[in-house]
Amino acid sequence: MSDNRCHLEEKYTWDLTTIFATDADWETEYESIVQDLKKASSFAGHLLDSAKNLLEATELYMSLMRRLEKIYVYASMKNDQDTTVGLYQEYNAKASNLYSQLSEAFAYFEPEFMALEAEKLVSFKEQEPGLGLYDHYFERLLANKDHVLSQEAEELLAAAGDIFNGPTDTFNVLDNADILFPWVSDGQGDVIELTHGNFTTLMESKNREVRKGAYDRTYEQFQHTYAQTLQGVVKVHNYMAKVRHYNSARHAALAANFIPESVYDSLLESVNKHLPLLHRYLDLRKKVLELDKLKMYDVYAPLSETETALTYEEALKKAEEVLAIFGEEYSKGVHAAFTERWIDVHPNKGKRSGAYSGGAYDTNAFMLLNWQDTLDNLFTLVHETGHSLHSTFTRQTQPYVYGDYPIFLAEIASTTNENILTETLLKEVNDDKTRFAILNHYLDGFKGTVFRQTQFAEFEHAIHEADASGQILTADFMNKLYADLNEKYYNLKAEDNYEIQFEWERIPHFYMNYYVYQYATGFAAASYLAEKIVHGNEEDKEAYLTYLKAGSSDYPLEVIKKAGVDMTNTDYLDAAFKVFEDRLVELEALVEKGVHLS
């Protein structure tokens, strides 16, 4: 067993014994689930024989999913805290495999359920009132009736899953294992190997030569291979949409969360309308950085020289203080998270990088951090706390079947917290230099999320439409498309930024089927909500808590409407851009005062 964590104080580590007291308990539950999975087959072919069968099969499915989530969370988090421990690598693999077994065991459920007529479902609910709990769950299943194929066809598609995943798997191996990047200067006198992990850090260097050196042309030599993998995955998306009778791949992807395509179109339309704001911000960057010509490798350089250092304990105190705005119920949840060992705080050898909030219906909403004493890490803490409180309120309020929430809603809760932190810090700060740093942090976050992710969404939609119309997605085609889009968004000439045309090759989200737009809609909705909460009344806060508690008990657009955001129109987007513009105006005024020079 590894001792990579033996130096850590217990209070800075998460307490996974609240999930399973010992590894032996985990193993006992694992074996129990394996045995109980065998019961699933008894309902195959007989799901609709009676109301009793439907209820028992549904309850068995939910029960096994609930138990499986718990063993998966324990295994994955034990593995994440130290990836060098073989035992937890094994646990993680076994838990993942069990998900596949569960899917296989209940493969009959959806196709058989689709044969259920509405009148018969009403009759079933009269015979077994317990089925009433699953009304919305069944409604969502039946809404996809036109897109579920025969059981034989479904089995064929499921069996071909590894084949359909081939392009994505090839991309992951090529991009994470096989591609070799050059050695570059780190600006500290050392030469280091460029990696995915350190690329962002180097692009944020204050040394322009370091940024330029990291902005290399490695991807150019692999452009045709990456074009093949991306074209392959786009063809899979378009094929699956066609065989399931959707109008397009986008229609299929958004229908999974019952999101109308107009939400996507409104995002692209609104962002394009407000691109002059991004151009203004980039002009300001050029001025602050004192450059004759801004290049794409200058877009991420920090504008502020002010670095706010704060300890983890100081960050906890500030986070509790800021999040108290939501009221006593929310504050109690935050305090529990911060004092009952929900958080794994410090880095250690073998620990997974980054940060996340996780957990299952029957566990605490744990958080993994890799704490550094920076302002960025304070924002990370309130972000992950937003996820954890969203999960906690949902699980405390909803039955298991509705005890989670779709990704479309997930980023709103976390980013609302970040926006409220920004609002609070701007209200409290007294000196111009710190104010400059906070404004820069916010504008960069907006740029990287709303503008950049929408740029990705526009590219993604364009290549799916091109393939559907018969266009071959060659490297030349995608290079030009991406370079033109980049020039439109950043107002920086493509010919002056040769490397940018290859950036699409390194974006893994393009393999995730219309996923990225949700980052932009989520950030914009969060910006709108933060304004309502900070400047609104108690009803606005109560409406927000109602959203946090709703889980998946209603359709996503209806859930967020409970918080006061109608995402079928552009009001929330217009409000978000108004905040961006107001803060840009303020930063421009500080630059005019010469704050960045002092």
Side-chain angles (χ1 to χ4, degrees), residues 47-316:
L47 182 69
L48 302 182
D49 285 1
S50 66
K52 182 171 180 286
N53 270 20
L54 178 59
L55 180 60
E56 288 183 359
T58 304
E59 288 180 338
L60 178 62
Y61 179 55
M62 293 297 162
S63 168
L64 287 168
M65 278 291 291
R66 184 170 174 172
R67 292 166 62 194
L68 178 49
E69 281 180 11
K70 192 175 173 183
I71 70 159
Y72 177 79
V73 163
Y74 181 85
S76 66
M77 289 184 173
K78 279 285 194 180
N79 185 53
D80 287 347
Q81 72 184 28
D82 186 351
T83 57
T84 66
V85 180
L87 176 67
Y88 299 128
Q89 293 172 14
E90 180 189 343
Y91 278 15
N92 198 35
K94 287 170 77 171
S96 296
N97 181 256
L98 209 49
Y99 269 112
S100 299
Q101 292 179 45
L102 182 96
S103 297
E104 192 176 332
F106 284 94
Y108 66 86
F109 192 97
E110 274 197 42
E112 287 191 36
F113 181 79
M114 292 307 171
L116 184 61
E117 298 296 333
E119 299 79 15
K120 192 170 185 181
L121 180 56
V122 171
S123 171
F124 272 7
K125 285 195 290 184
E126 289 171 355
Q127 297 168 47
E128 289 286 354
L131 287 169
L133 173 66
Y134 301 101
D135 274 349
H136 183 60
Y137 173 70
F138 289 153
E139 185 181 288
R140 290 169 67 108
L141 285 179
L142 289 172
N144 286 321
K145 190 169 187 173
D146 292 342
H147 308 293
V148 175
L149 309 180
S150 68
Q151 187 163 345
E152 182 182 12
E154 289 291 347
E155 287 172 357
L156 285 171
L157 288 177
D162 286 345
I163 298 170
F164 291 137
N165 289 335
T168 301
D169 293 341
T170 302
F171 166 81
N172 285 331
V173 170
L174 174 61
D175 208 54
N176 294 306
D178 284 352
I179 194 166
L180 296 176
F181 295 101
W183 290 70
V184 297
S185 168
D186 68 352
Q188 309 296 318
D190 293 321
V191 176
I192 59 172
E193 186 175 7
L194 184 62
T195 66
H196 289 300
N198 64 27
F199 177 74
T200 301
T201 303
L202 294 170
M203 292 309 297
E204 292 173 351
S205 171
K206 292 173 182 174
N207 184 329
R208 197 181 195 207
E209 288 306 308
V210 170
R211 300 196 301 269
K212 185 178 179 181
Y215 209 67
D216 81 298
R217 290 165 66 167
T218 299
Y219 278 97
E220 182 177 8
Q221 63 184 307
F222 298 107
Q223 59 182 297
H224 302 295
T225 303
Y226 279 102
Q228 279 295 109
T229 61
L230 187 51
Q231 178 176 241
V233 84
V234 169
K235 284 189 176 298
V236 168
H237 295 163
N238 281 337
Y239 172 77
M240 291 297 284
K242 184 177 180 181
V243 298
R244 291 198 178 280
H245 314 300
Y246 288 101
N247 298 332
S248 65
R250 187 178 75 170
H251 179 212
L254 271 62
N257 280 327
F258 300 91
I259 306 298
E261 291 183 88
S262 59
V263 169
Y264 201 103
D265 289 330
S266 294
L267 173 69
L268 266 57
E269 179 186 338
S270 185
V271 170
N272 273 271
K273 184 173 77 175
H274 289 96
L275 283 177
L277 288 176
L278 179 58
H279 301 162
R280 256 173 69 189
Y281 181 46
L282 292 173
D283 286 342
L284 191 67
R285 279 191 150 271
K286 184 170 78 169
K287 183 174 183 177
V288 173
L289 295 171
E290 299 178 330
L291 298 173
D292 293 329
K293 183 176 282 189
L294 195 75
K295 295 292 194 78
M296 279 307 298
Y297 51 74
D298 299 316
V299 167
Y300 305 99
L303 301 183
S304 171
E305 297 291 329
T306 303
E307 294 184 5
T308 303
L310 70 171
T311 66
Y312 177 64
E313 280 70 22
E314 290 169 336
L316 290 180

Side-chain angles (χ1 to χ4, degrees), residues 173-471:
V173 170
L174 174 61
D175 208 54
N176 294 306
D178 284 352
I179 194 166
L180 296 176
F181 295 101
W183 290 70
V184 297
S185 168
D186 68 352
Q188 309 296 318
D190 293 321
V191 176
I192 59 172
E193 186 175 7
L194 184 62
T195 66
H196 289 300
N198 64 27
F199 177 74
T200 301
T201 303
L202 294 170
M203 292 309 297
E204 292 173 351
S205 171
K206 292 173 182 174
N207 184 329
R208 197 181 195 207
E209 288 306 308
V210 170
R211 300 196 301 269
K212 185 178 179 181
Y215 209 67
D216 81 298
R217 290 165 66 167
T218 299
Y219 278 97
E220 182 177 8
Q221 63 184 307
F222 298 107
Q223 59 182 297
H224 302 295
T225 303
Y226 279 102
Q228 279 295 109
T229 61
L230 187 51
Q231 178 176 241
V233 84
V234 169
K235 284 189 176 298
V236 168
H237 295 163
N238 281 337
Y239 172 77
M240 291 297 284
K242 184 177 180 181
V243 298
R244 291 198 178 280
H245 314 300
Y246 288 101
N247 298 332
S248 65
R250 187 178 75 170
H251 179 212
L254 271 62
N257 280 327
F258 300 91
I259 306 298
E261 291 183 88
S262 59
V263 169
Y264 201 103
D265 289 330
S266 294
L267 173 69
L268 266 57
E269 179 186 338
S270 185
V271 170
N272 273 271
K273 184 173 77 175
H274 289 96
L275 283 177
L277 288 176
L278 179 58
H279 301 162
R280 256 173 69 189
Y281 181 46
L282 292 173
D283 286 342
L284 191 67
R285 279 191 150 271
K286 184 170 78 169
K287 183 174 183 177
V288 173
L289 295 171
E290 299 178 330
L291 298 173
D292 293 329
K293 183 176 282 189
L294 195 75
K295 295 292 194 78
M296 279 307 298
Y297 51 74
D298 299 316
V299 167
Y300 305 99
L303 301 183
S304 171
E305 297 291 329
T306 303
E307 294 184 5
T308 303
L310 70 171
T311 66
Y312 177 64
E313 280 70 22
E314 290 169 336
L316 290 180
K317 184 179 176 184
K318 173 55 71 175
E320 285 207 56
E321 180 188 307
V322 168
L323 299 177
I325 194 170
F326 291 115
E328 185 180 354
E329 188 180 11
Y330 195 96
S331 290
K332 281 182 179 175
V334 173
H335 189 69
F338 289 179
T339 60
E340 296 175 11
R341 293 182 58 203
W342 292 18
I343 309 176
D344 205 74
V345 181
H346 296 296
N348 57 262
K349 185 180 177 185
K351 185 176 177 180
R352 172 178 162 160
S353 62
Y356 67 71
S357 166
Y361 188 80
D362 294 306
T363 76
N364 293 325
F366 295 100
M367 290 176 255
L368 179 139
L369 303 175
N370 280 278
W371 183 262
Q372 306 291 327
D373 292 343
T374 66
L375 181 65
D376 266 354
N377 275 246
L378 171 59
F379 275 93
T380 299
L381 174 64
V382 298
H383 179 102
E384 301 307 340
T385 302
H387 283 310
S388 287
L389 268 291
H390 190 187
S391 298
T392 300
F393 276 127
T394 291
R395 293 165 189 163
Q396 288 174 349
T397 310
Q398 298 296 332
Y400 173 74
V401 64
Y402 308 124
D404 202 353
Y405 43 81
I407 189 68
F408 183 79
L409 299 178
E411 290 301 316
I412 297 174
S414 54
T415 316
T416 298
N417 279 13
E418 284 196 66
N419 278 280
I420 287 172
L421 175 59
T422 299
E423 288 260 4
T424 307
L425 294 176
L426 287 174
K427 267 197 280 187
E428 293 175 349
V429 70
N430 294 315
D431 67 290
D432 283 347
K433 292 190 101 174
T434 304
R435 190 171 199 82
F436 184 97
I438 296 165
L439 289 167
N440 178 207
H441 183 278
Y442 171 81
L443 293 170
D444 275 349
F446 196 107
K447 168 179 64 67
T449 308
V450 178
F451 286 112
R452 182 167 166 81
Q453 299 301 326
T454 304
Q455 176 196 354
F456 288 171
E458 196 167 340
F459 176 78
E460 181 178 28
H461 188 46
I463 59 177
H464 280 82
E465 285 196 315
D467 176 72
S469 69
Q471 171 71 49

